Amino acid sequence: MTSPPLAPGSTIGIIGGGQLGRMIAVAAAQYGLKVHIYAPDANSPAFDVAGTRTVAAYDDAAALAAFAQAVDVVTYEFENIPRRTAEILAEARPLHPSAAALATTQDRLTEKSFVADLGIATAPFRAVDDAAGLAAAVADLGLPAVLKTRRFGYDGKGQRMLRPGEPFDAAAVMESLGGQPCILEGFVPFESEVSVVAARTADGAFSAYDPCGNEHRDHILARTLVPAPGMDPAASAEALAVARRIADALGYVGVLAVEMFLVRDADGRAHVVVNEIAPRVHNSGHWTIEGSETSQFAQHVRAICGWPLGSTARVGAARVEMLNLVGEAAGSWEAILAEPGRHLHLYGKGKARPGRKMGHVTRLLPPA
Ligand code: AMP
């Protein structure tokens, strides 16, 4: 049985104080919900828009228990939450997405095995625990290949590209990734990178936005364009069906993003290969704030509160573009404001360090 919907006035507890938590909090406020944000850093950007805050470490059991008591439902805005933290929270309050969904998606090996077991295409992969394992996996999969740490990787951190013809010292490569347990993936010769941002409720309702086309720079998302260029209706339908199968199999509640590679088969037909699952709202879904009937943040709030999902139709535009403002790029905020049709979002972060996501800009565009 699913729990009754939360009433407006209820409090959502959010673990994590970054821009994603901040935008969830803003969406919650629109619906008359309160938020309580839990983050270890007193300068967290989400605190600016939160009614209540807890500044404590993610493994502070007493602070977690007190936080859980003070809220009606708990969610999170990043996936590298310790397992015990998720369990403590879930013992006290509904945790969406669940601790099990988190466990499956925060380890790349568990995640890829889970996706492959559903019969969904992934890069070929092997578990790698040490230098001998790496040498064996390379012999098995061939090069090029990508070695990734199983946990705590993001924005290209914790991974190494291994190219044919380059000197290869398995021990040195493992050392460069801190000797951590890894996964070796065969290189996918993709045409482009896409994502599906979708939502599922506890009673199985599912809704997805059109696939997003994503361009990265220095391993960080730079631009999202919707609908994703190069995807015909059959490939889009395949991508949405894959996202739904994953969400259903996880018993997922909330918004998730499935990052995929778009590849072409010998007959020139486009297909998707799943790269990874983000068990949270996602950077490639920021365009939905202005570009869709329901933003991904509002959709997440609806899903975790047991409310009906909103429409994911685009509004007012054939295409939508989102540009990330990374590092110093946010310094051009005045010029962006001066251009009609640009929707500026700044995350309230202090210093613009290289690679730091400071904000984003959305534009509603006419047909290509
Ligand atoms: P990830 O951290 O898994 O999202 O990977 C970061 C980026 O590395 C992806 O966005 C791709 O551009 C590239 N990449 C990761 N895995 C593969 C793969 N198996 N084949 C080709 N490119 C990859």
Side-chain angles (χ1 to χ4, degrees):
M1 241 192 42
T2 54
S3 353
L6 282 187
S10 303
T11 301
I12 297 177
I14 302 174
I15 301 288
Q19 66 268 20
L20 300 179
R22 181 177 168 112
M23 290 185 274
I24 295 170
V26 170
Q30 178 194 334
Y31 290 138
L33 294 156
K34 301 183 197 324
V35 299
H36 181 155
I37 292 185
Y38 186 115
D41 180 354
N43 291 318
S44 298
F47 284 157
D48 292 349
V49 296
T52 315
R53 62 169 77 175
T54 295
V55 182
Y58 289 129
D59 59 358
D60 182 334
L64 288 166
F67 165 78
Q69 287 307 316
V71 304
D72 298 294
V73 64
V74 181
T75 190
Y76 43 90
E77 57 119 50
F78 78 117
E79 57 271 47
N80 290 327
I81 297 172
R83 189 192 193 111
R84 186 67 201 125
T85 299
E87 287 166 357
I88 290 172
L89 295 167
E91 279 159 20
R93 287 291 180 270
L95 174 71
H96 299 310
S98 69
L102 192 61
T104 302
T105 53
Q106 68 185 181
D107 177 317
R108 289 185 194 271
L109 179 63
T110 320
E111 176 181 67
K112 281 238 156 49
S113 307
F114 164 78
V115 173
D117 287 349
L118 291 175
I120 295 170
T122 65
F125 62 93
R126 297 285 182 276
V128 169
D129 293 325
D130 51 29
L134 176 57
V138 166
D140 213 9
L141 295 181
L143 296 178
V146 189
L147 184 68
K148 305 176 178 179
T149 56
R150 285 175 54 175
R151 295 177 60 109
F152 303 123
Y154 69 99
D155 288 348
K157 293 187 176 63
Q159 61 175 268
R160 278 281 304 269
M161 177 80 186
L162 305 178
R163 296 186 177 82
E166 286 183 359
F168 171 63
D169 174 343
V173 172
M174 288 304 288
E175 181 80 34
S176 73
L177 292 181
Q180 294 180 58
C182 287
I183 174 173
L184 185 74
E185 296 181 11
F187 185 81
V188 178
F190 60 84
E191 178 176 296
S192 61
E193 297 187 67
V194 300
S195 58
V196 173
V197 178
R200 186 179 180 280
T201 64
D203 54 13
F206 177 87
S207 186
Y209 299 93
D210 282 339
C212 316
N214 302 320
E215 295 168 18
H216 299 85
R217 205 168 300 139
D218 302 329
H219 288 288
I220 298 171
L221 182 67
R223 178 175 187 248
T224 294
L225 194 59
V226 183
M231 285 194 97
D232 53 45
S236 288
E238 181 182 279
L240 298 190
V242 159
R244 178 162 205 166
R245 202 128 40 94
I246 288 172
D248 283 344
L250 289 170
Y252 198 86
V253 178
V255 164
L256 84 168
V258 183
E259 298 179 34
M260 308 174 186
F261 300 123
L262 188 67
V263 295
R264 236 163 249 283
D265 66 19
D267 299 325
R269 275 191 290 269
H271 292 283
V272 293
V273 172
V274 169
N275 180 31
E276 65 178 336
I277 304 163
R280 53 170 168 78
V281 290
H282 193 254
N283 197 165
S284 66
H286 291 0
W287 64 272
T288 58
I289 296 175
E290 289 85 13
S292 175
E293 292 276 357
T294 311
S295 80
Q296 65 163 344
F297 305 101
Q299 194 77 308
H300 185 66
V301 168
R302 285 167 173 252
I304 65 172
C305 289
W307 295 3
L309 296 178
S311 161
T312 53
R314 276 195 303 285
V315 287
R319 296 181 306 142
V320 187
E321 177 196 61
M322 189 280 316
L323 293 174
N324 263 346
L325 297 174
V326 179
E328 295 298 338
S332 50
W333 59 273
E334 282 186 278
I336 295 166
L337 284 173
E339 269 200 55
R342 295 196 179 225
H343 302 273
L344 176 68
H345 296 255
L346 294 174
Y347 305 147
K349 297 182 177 178
K351 237 184 139 34
R353 288 192 298 272
R356 194 172 196 204
K357 292 175 182 168
M358 304 299 291
H360 72 268
V361 188
T362 303
R363 277 198 307 159
L364 310 186
L365 300 172

